[in-house]
Amino acid sequence: MTKIEPLKDGHGRFIRDVRVSVTDRCNFRCQYCMPAEGLPWLERDQVLGFEELERLVGVLASMAVCDIRLTGGEPLVRRDFPRLAKMLADVDGVADLSVTTNGFLLERDAGKLVEAGINRFNVSVDSLQRDRFFEMTRRDALPRVLRGLEALATFPDAHPIKINAVGMRGFTETEILPFAEFAREHPYEVRFIEFMPLDADHSWDPKLVLTGDEIRREIDAVFPLEALPRDPSATARTYAFKDGKGKIGFINPLSEPFCGDCDRIRVTAEGKLRTCLFSLHETDLRTPMRDGISDDGLREIIRDAVWRKELKHGVNEPGFRQPERTMSQIGG
Ligand code: SAM
Ligand code: SF4
């Protein structure tokens, strides 16, 4: 059998991680992602089917893209999602299968997903106060999400559980210390993510970015922190509380870009390959797959697109253009 080369871009970065969006639909309407009225959803036949996703993940895994994160939209609203998870967990070469979810359906699905082979979970929570959670997500769902987290935490195989909160100036300041306390009291690692220009309302402004460093300093003043060693391709900078009670992390794509170490690509729900969150170009994989392309042919298309992967995102540079797609349509 001929050896298949690992996937590599034109700047010498090996690609090991793919974020696969399984749906563009969502049951929340987070202010930094979707408009209140939702977005025009894709038709069902536009979305990659389970067998198509299984094949695509297999082709990527054959090129050493072994870390698969399932996202959306809200992945758990995709019908039969645990069955899809199982199919993908069983694909040859898949080393790590994880999911990013808003947690609304975790109470129902946590057990099925762990059983299917999902071994890492990121759950998005932006406020620990019910009314403020409602304000940000436009859904009164905090108690249900917290119950979902508790359900998940009962499974030893689901740990570590990560909680993601988007840091927005004018909103997140009052959440910082409650989240630090939450991370100290629960078996969850809270990570703050800087607000990026991928919102549907195009209301992003650099002034609205609450940087990871600002948040870290505020926490450190009350609960002293110490930096943990960082794996170069990890997006988060992780800190332990000095007294040993839990961890907290910061994903700082804007104030401390990590593009030089980026090993990620993304596939949208309709099968478009994106080589950067902020790409203005994407590569259609669905049409060639439905036209009967061979696995070798598909690998060629992917290699060619990935070779041209952007060197960096350029958000802080003059002339930056926000992509047409929102985070929910890309798959964050
Ligand atoms: N619906 C799932 C969820 O919310 O976890 C998965 C998809 S969501 C698009 C993935 C992640 O992107 C979430 O953690 C969300 O907070 C984050 N996100 C969405 N819009 C963002 C933005 N404009 N800036 C930074 N993070 C954003
Ligand atoms: Fe839905 Fe996730 Fe976007 Fe919120 S961040 S609207 S939960 S896709």
Side-chain angles (χ1 to χ4, degrees), residues 26 28-30 32-34 72-74 102 328:
C26 189
F28 282 19
R29 297 286 181 273
C30 303
Y32 47 72
C33 183
M34 280 221 194
E74 172 48 38
N102 62 30
S328 65

Side-chain angles (χ1 to χ4, degrees), residues 6-19:
L7 188 58
K8 188 178 168 189
D9 78 2
H11 305 287
R13 294 172 293 191
F14 285 96
I15 306 301
R16 298 195 174 86
D17 179 314
V18 61
R19 312 279 156 115

Side-chain angles (χ1 to χ4, degrees), residues 31-299:
Q31 294 208 18
Y32 47 72
C33 183
M34 280 221 194
E37 65 281 10
L39 289 162
W41 308 132
L42 294 167
E43 300 290 333
R44 286 195 196 286
D45 64 346
Q46 293 178 289
V47 173
L48 292 186
F50 284 13
E51 280 71 26
E52 288 170 324
L53 286 165
E54 185 184 39
R55 176 179 177 207
L56 183 54
V57 164
V59 163
L60 287 166
S62 73
M63 294 187 283
V65 185
C66 302
D67 291 352
I68 318 291
R69 172 167 295 278
L70 304 177
T71 181
E74 172 48 38
L76 275 61
V77 305
R78 175 97 191 231
R79 186 177 307 169
D80 247 353
F81 178 63
R83 186 166 71 83
L84 172 64
K86 171 91 178 87
M87 284 168 70
L88 301 183
D90 289 345
V91 168
D92 231 17
V94 168
D96 189 279
L97 184 66
S98 57
V99 71
T100 302
T101 170
N102 62 30
F104 188 76
L105 294 170
L106 266 183
E107 216 181 354
R108 183 191 76 183
D109 287 347
K112 285 184 256 177
L113 293 175
V114 173
E115 200 184 321
I118 294 191
N119 53 12
R120 288 192 298 127
F121 290 80
N122 285 2
V123 184
S124 306
V125 183
D126 294 303
S127 170
L128 293 169
Q129 286 181 53
R130 188 169 176 167
D131 55 336
R132 302 191 87 240
F133 183 98
F134 182 24
E135 182 190 336
M136 186 52 89
T137 61
R138 304 184 176 110
R139 295 291 182 269
D140 181 17
L142 180 64
R144 184 163 168 166
V145 170
L146 294 178
R147 287 200 306 274
L149 271 169
E150 278 167 27
L152 186 60
T154 60
F155 296 96
D157 288 349
H159 292 267
I161 297 170
K162 294 184 177 154
I163 294 192
N164 294 340
V166 177
M168 292 181 78
R169 198 178 301 284
F171 181 87
T172 308
E173 291 88 338
T174 53
E175 303 291 337
I176 296 175
L177 291 179
F179 267 125
E181 282 161 15
F182 194 69
R184 290 167 59 75
E185 284 157 15
H186 295 87
Y188 312 138
E189 180 183 321
V190 175
R191 291 128 40 108
F192 291 93
I193 309 179
E194 289 174 348
F195 176 33
M196 293 181 271
L198 293 167
D199 55 320
D201 300 333
H202 285 241
S203 54
W204 182 87
D205 182 288
K207 293 194 219 53
L208 294 176
V209 180
L210 186 63
T211 65
D213 201 45
E214 289 172 84
I215 300 175
R216 185 187 55 76
R217 276 189 273 119
E218 189 158 335
I219 296 174
D220 186 58
V222 181
F223 303 113
L225 296 170
E226 70 187 1
L228 294 172
R230 179 170 170 253
D231 163 358
S233 66
T235 51
R237 291 168 188 273
T238 310
Y239 291 76
F241 291 101
K242 274 194 179 152
D243 62 5
K245 283 182 90 181
K247 286 184 198 163
I248 199 135
F250 303 91
I251 302 175
N252 303 338
L254 302 187
S255 66
E256 294 179 88
F258 34 81
C259 306
D261 297 319
C262 181
D263 65 352
R264 276 170 294 283
I265 53 174
R266 290 178 154 80
V267 178
T268 69
E270 77 270 50
K272 298 268 168 64
L273 174 69
R274 293 179 64 87
T275 48
C276 175
L277 260 182
F278 296 97
S279 291
L280 297 174
H281 307 283
E282 34 193 45
T283 304
D284 179 18
L285 302 178
R286 188 188 68 198
T287 307
M289 282 170 80
R290 290 191 181 170
D291 287 349
I293 196 168
S294 66
D295 286 356
D296 280 340
L298 192 55
R299 274 189 282 267

